[in-house]
Amino acid sequence: MGAGHAHKLYRHGHSPVHGLPPHCKIAATFAFVVVVVSTPREAMWAFGLYAVLLAVVAAAARVPAGFLLRRLLIEVPFVAFAVLMPFVAEGEQVQVLGLSLSVSGLWGAWNVLAKGTLGVAASVLLASTTELRALLLGLQRLKLPPLLVQIASFMIRYGDVIIGELRRMSIARRSRGFEARGVRHWGVLAKTAGALFIRSYERGERVYLAMVSRGYTGSMPVIDDVTASRAQWAYAAVLPVTALAVCLMGWTL
């Protein structure tokens, strides 16, 4: 795989979490999310402990709370959905501040908010401590289908190129006096989307032919492989194993 691409979620650092191999962090994050999702929603205290565990990881990774909280704004659509659930769900009703809310809807909203927030926070911590190129290497190390890894790699590499092309097309429209102000301009925007698709497709064909001419046979060469020691696996397993213990307590209490 070629040179990495910096992304806005990544925060450069030299913490113990940054130093872990990417496949260890991916596996630990996935296991943690599975444990969180498996926890009964009635065990509210368990979700509080999960939040404390993530706070400890963030402190070990030297990721500021403000940085993490700003990135959590990505879950705003899910929050809006959860807020509506008590109003639209059926079943037993309860009065809260003069509003008639569904009990099952309240539990459903709590379930979505608690598990969704913890899952997003864990993913943000993973992205904050792992470069995109390292994430792709980690996925490859975990034996994910090579085709999916390559698609993700090309998407990351050429996403900025396509966005740049769209920006240049927008500048060209504005330089000719065009401003999208209503439904009557949707046709122009649709033609822009079509032109962008054609240009992206043609660029992809040229890139593919260039790769084939340089010996591409369906798999990208791995320049540097990443291995993990038992100690590193054990260090990464602390988060999901501790979360699993909390989950088991939530089911037994």
Side-chain angles (χ1 to χ4, degrees):
M1 296 186 182
H5 288 238
H7 58 92
K8 295 181 180 179
L9 290 178
Y10 179 69
R11 183 179 176 85
H12 182 74
H14 302 283
S15 69
V17 180
H18 283 80
L20 283 176
H23 49 290
C24 293
K25 289 186 280 188
I26 294 173
T29 302
F30 178 77
F32 174 79
V33 172
V34 170
V35 170
V36 170
V37 173
S38 303
T39 304
R41 63 187 183 183
E42 293 79 10
M44 294 185 176
W45 58 270
F47 297 103
L49 291 180
Y50 294 150
V52 171
L53 288 175
L54 290 181
V56 172
V57 174
R62 303 186 183 98
V63 176
F67 180 90
L68 180 61
L69 292 175
R70 287 194 300 271
R71 271 58 186 179
L72 287 178
L73 292 177
I74 194 175
E75 68 164 345
V76 168
F78 298 97
V79 173
F81 171 76
V83 170
L84 291 176
M85 291 182 66
F87 296 95
V88 299
E90 299 178 353
E92 182 184 353
Q93 301 290 311
V94 64
Q95 295 294 321
V96 179
L97 299 178
L99 298 175
S100 181
L101 304 178
S102 168
V103 175
S104 61
L106 287 172
W107 277 115
W110 159 252
N111 194 48
V112 171
L113 284 176
K115 297 181 179 180
T117 301
L118 289 169
V120 173
S123 301
V124 169
L125 282 175
L126 172 64
S128 301
T129 58
T130 315
E131 294 181 340
L132 279 176
R133 176 175 172 271
L135 283 174
L136 294 174
L137 288 173
L139 294 175
Q140 193 173 50
R141 185 72 180 178
L142 291 173
K143 305 302 181 182
L144 262 72
L147 182 60
L148 293 180
V149 178
Q150 289 187 51
I151 291 174
S153 175
F154 291 134
M155 179 185 69
I156 292 169
R157 292 170 188 274
Y158 294 102
D160 292 338
V161 175
I162 295 174
I163 292 174
E165 185 73 29
L166 181 61
R167 186 179 301 112
R168 289 190 293 272
M169 295 171 68
S170 176
I171 294 173
R173 290 198 310 270
R174 291 199 300 270
S175 67
R176 291 164 175 78
F178 174 81
E179 288 291 341
R181 297 176 180 174
V183 178
R184 60 192 180 93
H185 291 136
W186 285 6
V188 177
L189 298 179
K191 292 178 181 178
T192 300
L196 178 64
F197 172 79
I198 293 174
R199 292 186 183 185
S200 302
Y201 179 81
E202 291 177 345
R203 184 188 294 272
E205 289 293 313
R206 293 194 300 271
V207 170
Y208 173 73
L209 292 176
M211 291 172 60
V212 172
S213 68
R214 289 164 174 79
Y216 177 73
T217 58
S219 61
M220 298 293 289
V222 178
I223 298 176
D224 53 345
D225 198 6
V226 181
T227 59
S229 65
R230 291 184 178 179
Q232 289 173 322
W233 275 112
Y235 186 77
V238 171
L239 175 65
V241 170
T242 306
L244 178 60
V246 174
C247 178
L248 294 176
M249 291 175 60
W251 280 106
T252 55
L253 294 181

